[in-house]
């Protein structure tokens, strides 16, 4: 009985088939991780792109374009979730859409953590202050004072850490001195709130114009004329003829 020698070519083919099968299963098993990695990278790139577009549009006063770009950050907002509503609210505030801007910035404040709250609080206080200015321009002093009080509360509740160098480095506006901005906003709001709470000054009554009174000489002249007229009338009624033959003159 003889044993056939193994066929090297057949063994090689079988080994290649096993390797291909293993690679295929490895590819299938790692496919979710690959897709997740691609999505991660794509999201990062899109976030940077939308953020850059939002900033660029804001700088050139294209607030509607800035808002549209910022809203692009809201999709799958995993990284720095406060940034999308913060950028949207800032653009809306610059466009004077104050109630909508305030709502977005308040949303951003709830999502912010640590030093992220510093810039959010500054912009939120500025938007509420503008609401107060608008109410004052409409003659609604009570609402204006209320808005100024709310903006002052937002400013006073800003953490002390927001005055640090680390907070300045993380600011969305590096040219703005965060500590000085907070102090200026606080002082300005206090002054505006006091102005609206003070009672209005009493209105001065305009003096009534008095009719001019005649002088003493004028009064004496009028009296002399009245007396002279009375004497002439008496003489006409009595007649000047001694015999009384003249006819009466009509009065």
């Amino acid at each position: 009985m003889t044993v056939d020698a193994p066929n090297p070519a057949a063994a090689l083919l079988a080994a290649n088939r096993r390797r291909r099968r293993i690679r295929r299963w490895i590819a299938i098993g790692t496919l979710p991780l690959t897709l997740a990695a691609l999505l991660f990278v794509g999201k990062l790139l899109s976030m940077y792109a939308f953020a850059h577009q939002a900033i660029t549009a804001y700088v050139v006063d294209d607030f509607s374009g800035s808002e549209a770009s910022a809203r692009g950050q809201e999709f799958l907002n995993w990284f720095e979730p406060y940034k999308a509503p913060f950028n949207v609210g800032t653009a809306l505030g610059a466009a004077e859409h104050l109630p909508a801007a305030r709502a977005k910035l308040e949303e951003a404040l709830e999502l912010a953590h640590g030093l992220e709250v510093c810039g959010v609080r500054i912009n939120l206080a500025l938007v509420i202050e503008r609401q107060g200015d608008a109410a004052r321009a409409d003659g609604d002093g009570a609402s204006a004072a209320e808005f100024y009080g709310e903006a002052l509360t937002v400013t006073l509740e800003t953490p002390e850490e927001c005055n640090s160098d680390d907070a300045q480095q993380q600011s969305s506006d590096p040219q703005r001195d965060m500590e000085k901005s907070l102090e200026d906003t606080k002082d300005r709001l206090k002054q505006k709130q006091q102005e609206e709470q003070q009672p209005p000054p009493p209105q001065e009554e305009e003096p009534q114009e008095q009719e001019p009174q005649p002088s003493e000489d004028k009064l004496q002249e009028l009296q002399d004329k009245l007396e002279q007229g009375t004497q002439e009338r008496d003489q006409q009624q009595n007649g000047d003829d001694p015999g009384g033959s003249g006819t009466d003159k009509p009065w």
Side-chain angles (χ1 to χ4, degrees):
M1 180 177 180
T2 60
V3 178
D4 295 335
N7 189 340
L12 181 61
L13 290 173
N16 287 339
R17 282 195 295 269
R18 285 195 299 271
R19 283 195 293 269
R20 285 196 299 270
R21 190 182 304 113
I22 292 172
R23 285 198 296 268
R24 183 167 60 249
W25 282 111
I26 291 175
I28 294 173
T30 58
L31 181 61
L33 295 177
T34 303
L35 293 176
L38 292 174
L39 183 61
F40 178 82
V41 173
K43 179 59 180 175
L44 279 179
L45 293 176
S46 66
M47 287 287 290
Y48 284 118
F50 282 126
H52 178 73
Q53 292 173 3
I55 294 172
T56 302
Y58 186 91
V59 170
V60 297
D61 295 339
D62 181 11
F63 303 128
S64 60
S66 178
E67 177 194 351
S69 298
R71 290 191 182 278
Q73 298 177 269
E74 294 179 331
F75 178 68
L76 297 178
N77 190 18
W78 301 330
F79 314 102
E80 297 181 317
Y82 84 98
K83 273 289 182 69
F86 172 75
N87 289 340
V88 173
T90 301
L92 288 171
E96 297 299 326
H97 302 308
L98 301 179
R102 178 175 179 175
K104 276 297 181 181
L105 290 172
E106 288 175 343
E107 177 185 345
L109 186 59
E110 294 179 356
L111 297 172
H113 299 283
L115 296 178
E116 296 172 349
V117 307
C118 303
V120 180
R121 283 190 172 274
I122 290 177
N123 284 11
L124 177 58
L126 292 176
V127 167
I128 300 176
E129 180 185 3
R130 289 187 183 181
Q131 285 185 296
D133 293 342
R136 182 168 63 177
D138 292 338
D140 190 353
S143 296
E146 184 177 355
F147 281 126
Y148 293 144
E150 292 174 354
L152 183 59
T153 299
V154 172
T155 305
L156 293 176
E157 291 179 351
T158 302
E160 187 64 29
E161 291 78 10
C162 291
N163 297 325
S164 64
D165 293 337
D166 291 339
Q168 182 64 38
Q169 293 175 1
Q170 295 187 23
S171 173
S172 59
D173 186 1
Q175 297 181 352
R176 176 174 63 184
D177 189 325
M178 190 168 293
E179 182 177 4
K180 184 177 185 301
S181 180
L182 285 169
E183 289 299 323
D184 291 347
T185 302
K186 187 189 307 180
D187 295 340
R188 189 172 61 251
L189 287 169
K190 287 181 178 179
Q191 181 178 356
K192 288 183 177 181
Q193 189 181 37
Q194 291 175 357
E195 290 174 353
E196 294 304 322
Q197 290 177 344
Q198 290 178 352
Q203 297 181 352
E204 296 182 358
E205 296 183 358
E206 297 182 358
Q208 297 181 353
E209 296 184 358
Q210 297 182 354
E211 296 182 357
Q213 299 295 330
S215 63
E216 291 292 334
D217 294 339
K218 191 69 174 177
L219 290 174
Q220 185 62 41
E221 182 181 352
L222 290 173
Q223 186 175 357
D224 292 343
K225 288 183 177 181
L226 288 173
E227 291 178 354
Q228 181 179 358
T230 302
Q231 293 175 359
E232 292 177 352
R233 186 172 63 251
D234 292 342
Q235 290 175 0
Q236 291 173 357
Q237 289 177 350
N238 295 330
D240 293 333
D241 261 349
S245 59
T247 58
D248 293 336
K249 295 181 179 180
W251 175 240

